[in-house]
Amino acid sequence: MNKQRFSTSNYKKIALTGYFSLLVFMPLWLIVLSPSESLSTTTSLVMFTLPLLFPLRGLLQGNPFTYAWSNFIVLIYFLHSLTTLWVLPADRVWAMLELIFASAMFFGATYYAKFRGQELGLSIRKKKESK
């Protein structure tokens, strides 16, 4: 038997906290706190906010499939934060916050999708037949 540390609803809360933190923080950072000299406001919004809007409905509905594929989107924010940590010392605090939020979303979404999928009897593997 697989014993999980947190309840499924706690994993969902962790994922949504990371998600909504990114959704609020990214435009705040890139437009207000440290505007880019090379990207326009519109470009910054499209590149760093629009991708987060794609899974919004499924995340709010608690769809485990949406939580699973939203991890592909959160990889954008992992890469952005790690790159910024490396190349822009002035924005390290903001990049660390982005990395924390992205990590929370990734962690919560991964385990929510796994355990909620199990609760619903969903699987991507075919079950082995008993002999």
Side-chain angles (χ1 to χ4, degrees), residues 57-77:
R57 184 175 178 191
L59 292 176
L60 292 176
Q61 291 174 344
N63 184 338
F65 181 73
T66 305
Y67 278 78
W69 70 257
S70 70
N71 280 336
F72 292 112
I73 292 172
V74 85
L75 290 177
I76 296 167
Y77 303 92

Side-chain angles (χ1 to χ4, degrees), residues 4 6 9 17 19 23 36 43-44 53 55-56 62 69 75 77 81 100 102 107 116 122-123:
Q4 58 188 83
F6 299 115
S9 65
T17 299
Y19 171 78
L23 194 59
S36 173
T43 305
S44 292
L53 296 177
L56 177 60
W69 70 257
L75 290 177
Y77 303 92
S81 64
I100 290 166
F107 172 80
R116 184 65 182 138
L122 305 174
S123 177

Side-chain angles (χ1 to χ4, degrees), residues 78-95:
F78 275 125
L79 291 174
H80 181 259
S81 64
L82 293 173
T83 303
T84 303
L85 282 169
W86 187 261
V87 300
L88 286 173
D91 282 356
R92 283 203 174 128
V93 171
W94 311 129

